[in-house]
Amino acid sequence: QIQFVESGGDLVQAGGSLRLSCTTSGFTFSSYAMSWYRQVPGKDREVVGYITSVGGRTHYAVAVTGRFTISRDDAASTLYLEMNRLKPEDTATYYCNGDLDYYCSTTKCSRFFTWGQGTQVTVSS
């Protein structure tokens, strides 16, 4: 059974930092590109960025470029999201998911497994 468990979300002041983690199981983590997404109630889930399985190349949404960094630990089947200089508009529930590199464009991956519960990030102004 494929599972994603996101953690690390918190309430933080604008300008602060957080590190999110996504522990996974049920699939070969090292063979998949891994993405971070976020969602605000009433809005569509949006891509934050992703990291490829081959080469560890990263791609980010314009809104987070230069502030967020995605990394992965294949041995631990864990994905990370380092978030710096947080803004109130970063407030959302953050999720991770996986897809094969082949199905990922320069902006996002097109497929996903069943979603985890996410982790809440709240940035106060």
Tab-separated table of all heavy atoms in Angstrom, residues 8 10-19 67 82-86:
chain	number	residue	atom	x	y	z
A	8	GLY	N	5.999	18.363	9.823
A	8	GLY	CA	6.861	19.534	9.968
A	8	GLY	C	6.145	20.858	9.869
A	8	GLY	O	6.748	21.917	10.084
A	10	ASP	N	3.800	24.067	10.760
A	10	ASP	CA	3.690	24.791	12.025
A	10	ASP	C	3.176	26.196	11.743
A	10	ASP	O	2.981	26.585	10.574
A	10	ASP	CB	5.056	24.856	12.693
A	10	ASP	CG	4.969	25.021	14.201
A	10	ASP	OD1	3.877	25.382	14.700
A	10	ASP	OD2	5.998	24.818	14.876
A	11	LEU	N	2.970	26.930	12.809
A	11	LEU	CA	2.656	28.353	12.725
A	11	LEU	C	3.973	29.119	12.849
A	11	LEU	O	4.729	28.909	13.808
A	11	LEU	CB	1.711	28.756	13.848
A	11	LEU	CG	1.446	30.257	14.036
A	11	LEU	CD1	0.785	30.846	12.813
A	11	LEU	CD2	0.610	30.482	15.298
A	12	VAL	N	4.238	29.978	11.895
A	12	VAL	CA	5.501	30.713	11.876
A	12	VAL	C	5.248	32.150	11.434
A	12	VAL	O	4.284	32.412	10.692
A	12	VAL	CB	6.516	30.015	10.938
A	12	VAL	CG1	6.019	30.006	9.505
A	12	VAL	CG2	7.893	30.631	11.032
A	13	GLN	N	6.092	33.055	11.890
A	13	GLN	CA	5.950	34.448	11.469
A	13	GLN	C	6.526	34.654	10.077
A	13	GLN	O	7.437	33.929	9.646
A	13	GLN	CB	6.670	35.353	12.452
A	13	GLN	CG	5.954	35.477	13.789
A	13	GLN	CD	6.573	36.557	14.658
A	13	GLN	OE1	7.747	36.874	14.526
A	13	GLN	NE2	5.760	37.128	15.549
A	14	ALA	N	6.005	35.638	9.401
A	14	ALA	CA	6.534	35.994	8.081
A	14	ALA	C	8.035	36.245	8.175
A	14	ALA	O	8.508	36.865	9.135
A	14	ALA	CB	5.823	37.227	7.542
A	15	GLY	N	8.758	35.732	7.192
A	15	GLY	CA	10.203	35.842	7.190
A	15	GLY	C	10.903	34.661	7.814
A	15	GLY	O	12.124	34.523	7.702
A	16	GLY	N	10.148	33.809	8.474
A	16	GLY	CA	10.707	32.643	9.130
A	16	GLY	C	10.953	31.480	8.183
A	16	GLY	O	10.765	31.586	6.973
A	17	SER	N	11.346	30.360	8.770
A	17	SER	CA	11.692	29.167	7.995
A	17	SER	C	11.043	27.923	8.597
A	17	SER	O	10.751	27.874	9.800
A	17	SER	CB	13.211	28.966	7.990
A	17	SER	OG	13.870	30.049	7.401
A	18	LEU	N	10.823	26.947	7.740
A	18	LEU	CA	10.338	25.642	8.152
A	18	LEU	C	10.945	24.582	7.258
A	18	LEU	O	11.289	24.870	6.111
A	18	LEU	CB	8.809	25.539	8.036
A	18	LEU	CG	7.931	26.127	9.135
A	18	LEU	CD1	6.467	26.000	8.748
A	18	LEU	CD2	8.202	25.492	10.477
A	19	ARG	N	11.040	23.367	7.789
A	19	ARG	CA	11.462	22.224	6.987
A	19	ARG	C	10.396	21.147	7.078
A	19	ARG	O	10.130	20.636	8.170
A	19	ARG	CB	12.798	21.675	7.470
A	19	ARG	CG	13.382	20.631	6.533
A	19	ARG	CD	14.539	19.918	7.159
A	19	ARG	NE	15.357	19.197	6.183
A	19	ARG	CZ	16.106	18.135	6.473
A	19	ARG	NH1	16.133	17.680	7.706
A	19	ARG	NH2	16.823	17.556	5.535
A	67	ARG	N	13.325	30.739	-2.694
A	67	ARG	CA	12.998	30.674	-1.253
A	67	ARG	C	12.872	29.237	-0.751
A	67	ARG	O	13.195	28.954	0.399
A	67	ARG	CB	11.678	31.405	-0.972
A	67	ARG	CG	11.705	32.875	-1.344
A	67	ARG	CD	10.449	33.589	-0.859
A	67	ARG	NE	9.237	33.058	-1.475
A	67	ARG	CZ	8.226	32.546	-0.805
A	67	ARG	NH1	8.269	32.471	0.518
A	67	ARG	NH2	7.148	32.086	-1.441
A	82	GLU	N	12.580	22.570	2.229
A	82	GLU	CA	13.128	23.639	3.050
A	82	GLU	C	12.490	24.941	2.595
A	82	GLU	O	12.606	25.300	1.408
A	82	GLU	CB	14.644	23.697	2.907
A	82	GLU	CG	15.335	24.656	3.854
A	82	GLU	CD	15.454	24.108	5.269
A	82	GLU	OE1	15.622	22.882	5.427
A	82	GLU	OE2	15.359	24.906	6.221
A	83	MET	N	11.831	25.606	3.516
A	83	MET	CA	11.110	26.841	3.164
A	83	MET	C	11.697	28.003	3.949
A	83	MET	O	11.710	27.976	5.185
A	83	MET	CB	9.629	26.686	3.490
A	83	MET	CG	8.972	25.506	2.802
A	83	MET	SD	7.182	25.450	3.026
A	83	MET	CE	7.107	25.179	4.778
A	84	ASN	N	12.196	28.995	3.235
A	84	ASN	CA	12.782	30.181	3.845
A	84	ASN	C	12.032	31.430	3.430
A	84	ASN	O	11.308	31.425	2.428
A	84	ASN	CB	14.253	30.298	3.453
A	84	ASN	CG	15.084	29.121	3.932
A	84	ASN	OD1	15.024	28.741	5.106
A	84	ASN	ND2	15.848	28.519	3.040
A	85	ARG	N	12.229	32.495	4.181
A	85	ARG	CA	11.586	33.781	3.885
A	85	ARG	C	10.096	33.586	3.611
A	85	ARG	O	9.563	34.055	2.601
A	85	ARG	CB	12.286	34.470	2.732
A	85	ARG	CG	13.690	34.966	3.098
A	85	ARG	CD	14.354	35.653	1.936
A	85	ARG	NE	14.908	34.708	0.981
A	85	ARG	CZ	14.830	34.825	-0.335
A	85	ARG	NH1	14.196	35.825	-0.877
A	85	ARG	NH2	15.400	33.935	-1.104
A	86	LEU	N	9.450	32.894	4.513
A	86	LEU	CA	8.044	32.568	4.335
A	86	LEU	C	7.182	33.812	4.315
A	86	LEU	O	7.460	34.802	5.010
A	86	LEU	CB	7.595	31.619	5.435
A	86	LEU	CG	8.023	30.159	5.224
A	86	LEU	CD1	7.969	29.375	6.525
A	86	LEU	CD2	7.150	29.511	4.168
